[in-house]
Amino acid sequence: MASSELQKRAIYFLGFVALLTAVLIFFPSDETIFSYTATQLGLQVLADGSLATLAGQKPTMMGDTTISLVVNVLRIVKILLWMTVVVTIVRFVFYSITKALYRNGAPGEVSSLLQTVISVIIYIVSFFIIFQTQFPGVQLAPLFTGSTIIGIVVGLALQDTLGNLFAGLALQADQPFQVGDVVIISGRGEGVVEMVSWRGVKIRTFQNKLLVISNSVLGKETIEVAPKDNLNAKAVFFNTLYSHSPTRTIQFVREAVRQVDNVSKKMRPVVRIRNLGDNGIDFEVKYWLDDYTIQHDTDALIRQRIWYVFQREKIDFAYPTRTLHIEPKPVEAAPDEVVNNIAEHLNRIPIFNPLSDEEIERLANASTSRVYAPGEAIVRAGQVGNSMFVIIRGSVKVQITENDYQKTVNTLAEDDFFGEMSLLTGEPRSASVIAIVETQVLRIDKNGLKPILEANPELVGVISELIEERKMALTKEVAKSDELEISPKKGAITSIRKFFGLQ
Ligand code: CMP
C-alpha cells in the first residue's frame, strides 16, 4: 500500500516538474520580450540594441521604463518558477527518503527539524544562484553582510525562534527521548511524546490533553524519561492489619499481580514490606510493564485484583487507627442458612440428583464459597488440582493454549461445574478456567467428595461419562496443539476408582 502511494506521488511529481521545465524552456528570452514590448509600444530596436521611435527619434522616458519593468517582472516570474521546481524536488526527495527509511514503522521519529534546516539551506542557496542568473548585475551578498541595522532587527525579531531552533538542534543531537516515550517534565506535566519539531515538543498527557513546550524551555528542565523499548518499573502501595501473616499476603498478592495484563512476564513482580506503619503493615508491589503508556490502567487493575484476593483470603486492609470508623456490622447469615443456600445450589446440579438430602447437606458442609474477578484464572492448565467448582453466579471460559494463543473451547455458566477431571482422576488440570465476569463458585475438595462417592457408586459412572465427553472435546482441540497430555483411552471410571481407593 505504501509503495503504491509512493508511485502515485512519483507520477504527480514527474508530471509537475516536466510541466514546469517545459514552461521554463519555452519561456521567451529577454530579447524577445524586449523587442515584442517595444513593438507594442510603437518603438523599434536598432542594430546596436538601443530604442528609437518608428520615425527614428529618441523614445520618451516612459517607453524605456515600461519595457524594463515588463522584462524585470518576467524575470521575477522565471525566478519563482525555478524556485517552485527546487521546492518540489526537495520535498519529493525528503518524502522518498522518509518512506524508504521507515517502510514498516512510524515516520514520526525522522528528524523533522533536520529536514527543515537542510531544506531552508538548499532554498537559500538555490535562490542566490537563480537570482544571480536573472539579475547578474545585482549583488545580493552585501545586502546580508553589510546591513547591521537589518541584522539587529532580524536578530531581535527571531531571538526566541532562533533560541528554540538551537535548543531543538541540541535536543536532536542528544536524543534524550523519542516519539512514543513517556516523559515527566518537572513542574510541567507528564505524558507520551507525540512530536519533536524545531520549535518544541508535543506531549499527550494522561488526561488526553496536548502539552506543548518550546525547546528553549525544555532545555532548562529536568526530564524523567521512560523509553518505550525499556522494561520500565512501577510501584503500587497497599497495607494490611498487623494480625495477617505478611508471608501469606505477599504470596497471594504476587500471584494476583502476575496475572494482570501488561505486567511483564520477563520479571517477577516484587511484593515487600515498605514500612511497619501506625495503622498496619505497609507493602509495596514493584512490577515491570510491557507498555508504560497505560501504566495508570495497570495500577488500577492491580489494586482491583488485590481487593479481590483480600476478599477471598479474608485479609483486611488497615484503616487509619486515629479515625473513628463506626460501621454497622453486616448481619451475617447463620451457619445453617449458609449451608442451606449452598445445598440449594448443589441440588440443582444434575449429577448430584442421585444424592439424598443428608448427602447434599454433608457436601454443602464441605464446600466453601469464593469470588473471582473478571479475567482471573480459577484453575490453571497443568497444575495439580484437588478441588472442583460449582458456579453459583457469573460465567467462565475453558481455555487451552494453542500456538501461544489462548483458545476458548467452552463457556460455562450458573449451576455448571468444572475442575472435576483433576479432582476425580488425580491428573493435572486439563485446561485453564477463567472468570468472564465477577464469578462466585463453590469449592468442593477431595475429602468432602470421597464419602459421597463411596456411598453412591452410580455417581462415579455419571461423572466419568461427562469426563469422557469433555475429554473427547478437548482431545480434538489438543490434537492440534499437543500441549497437554490427555489420555482418552484410559477410562475415567477406572482412574476415579483408583484415585479414591474405591472398589
Ligand atoms: P480439570 O481438568 O480438573 O480442570 C480444567 C477443567 O475444565 C476440567 O477439569 C473440566 O472441568 C473443564 N473442561 C475441560 N474441557 C471441557 C470442555 N470441553 N467443556 C467444558 N468443560 C471442560
Side-chain angles (χ1 to χ4, degrees):
M1 217 180 102
S3 79
S4 75
E5 168 77 14
L6 186 67
Q7 277 171 6
K8 217 165 87 183
R9 287 214 181 200
I11 292 169
Y12 284 147
F13 161 75
L14 288 174
F16 189 60
V17 171
L19 184 76
L20 281 177
T21 319
V23 170
L24 282 162
I25 288 172
F26 294 109
F27 208 85
S29 66
D30 284 358
E31 290 76 33
T32 321
I33 297 165
F34 191 80
S35 55
Y36 176 79
T37 322
T39 322
Q40 293 300 313
L41 292 173
L43 301 172
Q44 59 168 323
V45 184
L46 300 179
D48 64 353
S50 61
L51 288 167
T53 59
L54 291 178
Q57 284 165 357
K58 219 175 152 346
T60 59
M61 269 289 280
M62 221 10 223
D64 218 1
T65 319
T66 314
I67 293 174
S68 44
L69 189 71
V70 171
V71 171
N72 284 339
V73 165
L74 285 169
R75 276 179 184 169
I76 291 168
V77 170
K78 238 194 235 180
I79 293 175
L80 290 177
L81 284 174
W82 274 117
M83 279 311 290
T84 314
V85 173
V86 172
V87 171
T88 315
I89 292 174
V90 168
R91 293 187 66 164
F92 182 73
V93 167
F94 275 126
Y95 174 80
S96 316
I97 292 173
T98 312
K99 272 271 161 313
L101 284 181
Y102 293 88
R103 206 166 294 154
N104 306 319
E109 282 171 54
V110 185
S111 161
S112 62
L113 174 61
L114 214 62
Q115 271 194 27
T116 315
V117 171
I118 295 175
S119 317
V120 168
I121 293 173
I122 296 177
Y123 296 156
I124 293 174
V125 172
S126 313
F127 179 75
F128 262 79
I129 296 169
I130 297 168
F131 189 87
Q132 291 297 300
T133 56
Q134 295 304 315
F135 297 99
V138 182
Q139 288 296 308
L140 274 184
L143 257 176
F144 284 83
T145 50
S147 173
T148 322
I149 305 283
I150 291 181
I152 291 170
V153 171
V154 171
L156 282 174
L158 291 182
Q159 205 178 23
D160 276 357
T161 314
L162 289 178
N164 279 333
L165 179 69
F166 286 115
L169 280 173
L171 213 63
Q172 287 294 331
D174 240 14
Q175 296 239 325
F177 52 75
Q178 294 185 342
V179 171
D181 291 353
V182 173
V183 289
I184 303 172
I185 297 158
S186 54
R188 310 226 172 229
E190 61 175 326
V192 185
V193 178
E194 256 193 17
M195 205 183 95
V196 183
S197 76
W198 65 274
R199 274 202 67 242
V201 172
K202 272 188 195 164
I203 293 162
R204 177 76 56 185
T205 69
F206 293 116
Q207 287 76 41
N208 201 25
K209 292 185 187 114
L210 217 49
L211 188 68
V212 184
I213 305 182
S214 63
N215 287 333
S216 52
V217 171
L218 207 62
K220 294 177 198 134
E221 298 295 347
T222 312
I223 309 167
E224 191 182 318
V225 184
K228 68 174 169 192
D229 47 8
N230 184 45
L231 208 53
N232 301 297
K234 271 218 83 180
V236 169
F237 307 112
F238 67 94
N239 59 12
T240 67
L241 291 179
Y242 275 111
S243 48
H244 300 298
S245 143
T247 315
R248 230 177 127 250
T249 307
I250 288 172
Q251 190 188 330
F252 285 129
V253 171
R254 191 170 45 218
E255 201 43 44
V257 172
R258 276 171 80 159
Q259 292 182 27
V260 172
D261 281 351
N262 196 32
V263 170
S264 174
K265 301 275 177 284
K266 292 182 196 143
M267 296 285 280
R268 207 162 88 123
V270 177
V271 183
R272 57 190 172 199
I273 298 178
R274 236 175 99 231
N275 188 27
L276 298 175
D278 290 345
N279 310 319
I281 309 175
D282 298 331
F283 289 90
E284 94 176 335
V285 182
K286 182 177 178 188
Y287 72 99
W288 284 260
L289 295 98
D290 289 329
D291 182 356
Y292 197 70
T293 60
I294 50 168
Q295 45 165 315
H296 296 303
D297 298 333
T298 313
D299 284 355
L301 209 54
I302 285 179
R303 291 187 194 108
Q304 193 197 40
R305 289 291 168 85
I306 293 176
W307 185 90
Y308 276 104
V309 92
F310 274 25
Q311 214 258 355
R312 274 201 305 279
E313 302 304 334
K314 313 259 178 298
I315 301 172
D316 297 302
F317 288 99
Y319 289 101
T321 46
R322 278 181 217 103
T323 305
L324 199 56
H325 185 80
I326 303 169
E327 191 179 75
K329 207 169 174 236
V331 187
E332 271 179 23
D336 274 356
E337 210 177 307
V338 174
V339 171
N340 282 346
N341 273 342
I342 296 179
E344 213 174 278
H345 274 285
L346 294 178
N347 253 328
R348 288 213 292 267
I349 314 296
I351 52 155
F352 294 138
N353 278 351
L355 303 190
S356 68
D357 286 350
E358 294 90 88
E359 282 169 331
I360 287 282
E361 203 179 311
R362 211 181 310 152
L363 203 55
N365 267 316
S367 314
T368 46
S369 160
R370 305 179 137 222
V371 181
Y372 286 86
E376 212 175 349
I378 304 173
V379 306
R380 290 193 161 270
Q383 282 184 346
V384 180
N386 47 21
S387 45
M388 67 176 277
F389 302 83
V390 175
I391 303 172
I392 295 188
R393 174 170 60 87
S395 60
V396 298
K397 50 189 174 187
V398 181
Q399 289 191 325
I400 56 165
T401 310
E402 192 179 291
N403 304 329
D404 284 345
Y405 283 101
Q406 294 302 316
K407 182 173 182 183
T408 300
V409 292
N410 208 346
T411 55
L412 303 172
E414 203 176 313
D415 294 341
D416 281 333
F417 62 91
F418 60 88
E420 77 295 342
M421 289 186 174
S422 288
L423 172 69
L424 298 177
T425 62
E427 286 173 14
R429 295 285 187 202
S430 56
S432 295
V433 181
I434 318 284
I436 301 173
V437 292
E438 187 181 272
T439 300
Q440 188 179 0
V441 291
L442 281 184
R443 183 175 182 271
I444 307 170
D445 64 17
K446 190 178 168 186
N447 293 338
L449 203 61
K450 193 174 176 195
I452 311 284
L453 292 183
E454 276 168 350
N456 295 277
E458 73 274 22
L459 194 60
V460 177
V462 176
I463 298 181
S464 58
E465 252 172 52
L466 189 105
I467 292 183
E468 291 294 351
E469 227 173 76
R470 287 185 169 176
K471 270 190 173 184
M472 288 310 288
L474 273 188
T475 323
K476 273 191 211 146
E477 302 291 346
V478 173
K480 299 168 208 158
S481 63
D482 46 66
E483 162 102 343
L484 296 162
E485 228 181 85
I486 308 280
S487 46
K489 280 177 241 111
K490 190 176 159 195
I493 198 157
T494 328
S495 308
I496 299 174
R497 289 213 173 103
K498 209 164 136 204
F499 189 57
F500 278 83
L502 304 175
Q503 289 306 309

